[in-house]
Amino acid sequence: MKHFAPYAVLLLFVLATINGYSQNPGNKPKQFEQFPAVIHCTEAELNKVFGLSSGQPVSFSFSDNFSFGGDVISQVAKYNTLTSATVKSPVYHNSLFSISRRINSDNSISYSGRILNRDYFDGYELKKTADGHYQLVKFETDKMIKDCRVN
């Protein structure tokens, strides 16, 4: 008589794997589908939020006809060298643009940030190119934000 235990374990493993793939929330809508994968930014546009306080409106106009406007919902300064701001945009379904400005030891300024919304498939990350220019680069939000909920 043959032993069916190894076959049963293999079958359970295959069924568990298929079930795991079927729970992938890959059906989120794309919010920035009509915009390019890379959008160029100027430091002047990035810097305009840092003179504002919470509740004030701000609008960023980037290249490729992409603009992001909304209200500043937070402004935090740390150590006199790091300032972070968050802008919430009703135009993009309450997506958040979180941006930070750091003053480096040589008095140069660096920016970092992301535009994202958990309910949408795509977002943008602010990156500095090798030649020192800034650009927003599209990314998949599920690769950046891990879901830690227990079902």
Side-chain angles (χ1 to χ4, degrees):
M1 187 161 133
K2 295 187 177 187
H3 297 285
F4 293 105
Y7 299 111
V9 169
L10 180 62
L11 180 62
L12 287 173
F13 177 73
V14 170
L15 291 175
T17 304
I18 292 170
N19 187 29
Y21 280 116
S22 69
Q23 293 180 6
N24 184 8
N27 56 357
K28 291 181 181 179
K30 291 183 179 181
Q31 182 167 218
F32 301 112
E33 186 172 26
Q34 71 274 17
F35 296 105
V38 176
I39 298 172
H40 300 283
C41 311
T42 65
E43 289 188 41
E45 278 302 305
L46 298 173
N47 194 48
K48 67 170 41 174
V49 71
F50 294 106
L52 303 176
S53 58
S54 293
Q56 290 187 293
V58 64
S59 181
F60 301 96
S61 296
F62 301 118
S63 71
D64 301 309
N65 295 322
F66 179 71
S67 60
F68 188 92
D71 293 329
V72 177
I73 61 170
S74 72
Q75 179 85 254
V76 179
K78 294 268 190 177
Y79 314 114
N80 295 327
T81 59
L82 178 64
T83 306
S84 296
T86 303
V87 178
K88 186 175 187 179
S89 175
V91 174
Y92 293 108
H93 310 283
N94 294 324
S95 291
L96 300 175
F97 184 16
S98 177
I99 183 169
S100 296
R101 177 183 67 185
R102 185 180 74 220
I103 301 172
N104 303 311
S105 59
D106 63 355
N107 286 330
S108 64
I109 296 177
S110 299
Y111 296 93
S112 63
R114 290 189 181 97
I115 298 174
L116 58 88
N117 187 325
R118 299 181 75 99
D119 298 331
Y120 288 88
F121 177 80
D122 53 356
Y124 282 102
E125 182 174 13
L126 184 62
K127 293 186 176 185
K128 190 173 187 177
T129 62
D131 61 357
H133 294 96
Y134 286 94
Q135 56 190 16
L136 290 166
V137 179
K138 198 178 288 188
F139 69 92
E140 295 177 22
T141 55
D142 286 348
K143 288 185 178 179
M144 188 71 65
I145 304 169
K146 299 299 178 190
D147 190 2
C148 298
R149 290 180 290 182
V150 177
N151 293 332

